[in-house]
Amino acid sequence: MTAFNVVRFRVKPGREQEFLDAHQKVSRDWPGLRRVNMLQTGDRSYCIIAEWDGMDSLANARPNMIATLDSFRDTLEDLGGGLGVTDPDSGPVVLELK
């Protein structure tokens, strides 16, 4: 069953290009990864959305995702509310609407 993960970020002022460049350098051939898109959701606010073959593929990629985050962690602002520098979520598709 298809799964998705979503991660929200806020980038420090003046570090946006460094943040985007770090994502360009990441390998995109992780097993089970179908596609990934980066959205700019506001001033210095971004969200990444990835589609996976299933939850197992997503779970197996977590070490790669953490290593990727570590490569640009210093470009991010704390989101507040105890979240830290990311607001991640994931789950299986339960209803495909289109």
Side-chain angles (χ1 to χ4, degrees):
M1 177 177 286
T2 304
F4 283 84
N5 75 302
V6 179
V7 183
R8 188 170 60 94
F9 309 93
R10 185 172 45 240
V11 180
K12 293 176 181 175
R15 308 282 303 269
E16 294 93 345
Q17 193 58 54
E18 186 179 349
F19 168 79
L20 294 172
D21 289 346
H23 283 88
Q24 288 286 352
K25 296 175 187 175
V26 176
S27 170
R28 292 171 196 75
D29 61 354
W30 298 346
L33 179 60
R34 293 182 179 181
R35 61 183 169 173
V36 181
N37 290 285
M38 175 74 69
L39 291 71
Q40 184 169 7
T41 58
D43 183 39
R44 298 184 296 112
S45 295
Y46 296 85
C47 182
I48 195 165
I49 301 172
E51 181 180 5
W52 300 87
D53 288 343
M55 288 302 294
D56 288 342
S57 296
L58 193 160
N60 291 336
R62 283 197 178 108
N64 290 333
M65 289 187 269
I66 292 167
T68 299
L69 173 61
D70 288 343
S71 76
F72 63 85
R73 186 182 297 273
D74 66 316
T75 68
L76 302 175
E77 285 186 355
D78 191 295
L79 295 171
L83 291 173
V85 296
T86 65
D87 183 13
D89 210 349
S90 63
V93 173
V94 296
L95 182 62
E96 187 173 318
L97 299 171
K98 181 176 179 184

